[in-house]
Amino acid sequence: MSTAVFFHAHPDDEALLTAGTMAMLAHEGHRVVLVVATAGERGLADLPHGDELGRARMDELRVSAAALGCARVVQLGYGDSGLAIDGGVAEDRPDDAFIDADVEEAAQRLAAVLKEEAADLITIYDPAGGYGHPDHVQVYRVGTRAAEIAGTPVVLEATVNRDLLLKGVRLAARFYPSLDVRSFERAYSPGEAITHRVNVRRFARAKRAAMAAHGTQTTGGDGDRTLGAMLKIPYPLYRMVFGTEWYVRRGLPPGTRLRHPFDNP
């Protein structure tokens, strides 16, 4: 059996992008380790920003990890950088914000976990950080370098098929005219770049349980929260919509189509 490390920026990111894959690998007997850079103490929530929110979100993360069968949870100890109103870097971020961390130092910290675990695989994000959150972009930088330092052989960029996402967003825009379709045109990865399409429908209940664990992220703010809306989707439709998880592995031949994280072309 192999060891897979899933590296994320904040608690709840694992539930949205990689939870099905994590549950599948754990079910198969692989060792699954979840690493987050921050405690998410500046996320949008009913609780105020700060240590109390960070502790609550880490408690939620451990519940999510248990639902997915994770063997270990690690928090690297950086501060949540937050997000500006326009989606950029927040000016009022903490002194220890992950986005301001020295990439080499942070990579060494993560590489220590990879070496200790003798990791066979690490997941990060794509270069755009998915939808562009600064901490997610930093996950790509730090995770890429950590894999080089530790000699981790397989690096997968957790992403979403942009082609399918845009179809869904354009459909939704018919009912919600205020939805900014253009903001999704550079998000995540185009279908042609995706190398791994992992069917996780068998593990949809575990994925849904992981999402539900992050209660602080279902409320807060003036509008509907994405996580809360996802949890309202009827289970049969949820299983279909969230039944595939996508990854990009660099350096593979064009047109590579794999079905499992440990598959090789």
Side-chain angles (χ1 to χ4, degrees), residues 44-75:
L44 183 61
D46 290 331
L47 288 174
H49 289 171
D51 292 342
E52 182 183 1
L53 177 57
R55 287 192 294 270
R57 294 192 69 184
M58 285 302 298
D59 287 342
E60 292 172 345
L61 184 72
R62 284 183 276 270
V63 174
S64 170
L68 299 176
C70 294
R72 181 185 180 191
V73 176
V74 179
Q75 206 263 82

Side-chain angles (χ1 to χ4, degrees), residues 9-10 81-84 87-90 93 98-99 128-129 131-141:
H10 319 98
S81 304
L83 197 63
V89 179
R93 58 191 182 275
F98 183 49
I99 189 63
Y131 63 92
H133 192 299
D135 278 343
H136 290 216
V137 176
Q138 187 76 325
V139 162
Y140 169 78
R141 300 186 189 117

Side-chain angles (χ1 to χ4, degrees), residues 31-240:
R31 180 172 172 83
V32 175
V33 177
L34 174 57
V35 180
V36 289
T38 81
E41 65 275 10
R42 293 177 60 79
L44 183 61
D46 290 331
L47 288 174
H49 289 171
D51 292 342
E52 182 183 1
L53 177 57
R55 287 192 294 270
R57 294 192 69 184
M58 285 302 298
D59 287 342
E60 292 172 345
L61 184 72
R62 284 183 276 270
V63 174
S64 170
L68 299 176
C70 294
R72 181 185 180 191
V73 176
V74 179
Q75 206 263 82
L76 292 186
Y78 292 101
D80 184 351
S81 304
L83 197 63
I85 295 176
D86 63 359
V89 179
E91 293 185 1
D92 60 342
R93 58 191 182 275
D95 293 338
D96 63 347
F98 183 49
I99 189 63
D100 295 322
D102 178 77
V103 170
E104 189 68 18
E105 186 277 334
Q108 291 285 356
R109 198 178 295 192
L110 176 58
V113 177
L114 296 176
K115 291 177 181 178
E116 181 181 353
E117 292 289 345
D120 302 284
L121 176 153
I122 181 173
T123 72
I124 55 174
Y125 303 139
D126 54 38
Y131 63 92
H133 192 299
D135 278 343
H136 290 216
V137 176
Q138 187 76 325
V139 162
Y140 169 78
R141 300 186 189 117
V142 170
T144 300
R145 178 62 183 136
E148 293 174 351
I149 295 169
T152 304
V154 178
V155 179
L156 298 183
E157 298 170 10
T159 189
V160 173
N161 186 322
R162 183 196 301 161
D163 304 341
L164 296 178
L165 177 64
L166 282 172
K167 288 181 180 179
V169 170
R170 287 169 181 147
L171 178 62
R174 297 180 183 179
F175 304 95
Y176 301 96
S178 62
L179 191 61
D180 183 9
V181 176
R182 291 175 300 175
S183 65
F184 293 90
E185 290 176 351
R186 295 183 179 275
Y188 300 101
S189 303
E192 64 183 14
I194 292 172
T195 57
H196 292 64
R197 292 161 176 79
V198 183
N199 184 335
V200 297
R201 289 186 181 182
R202 287 180 57 203
F203 304 95
R205 292 195 186 279
K207 183 170 183 172
R208 194 174 176 106
M211 287 188 180
H214 296 283
T216 62
Q217 299 306 290
T218 60
T219 59
D222 298 327
D224 293 334
R225 297 300 304 280
T226 300
L227 191 60
M230 289 176 175
L231 289 169
K232 293 178 181 178
I233 298 174
Y235 180 72
L237 180 59
Y238 178 96
R239 185 174 181 269
M240 180 176 68

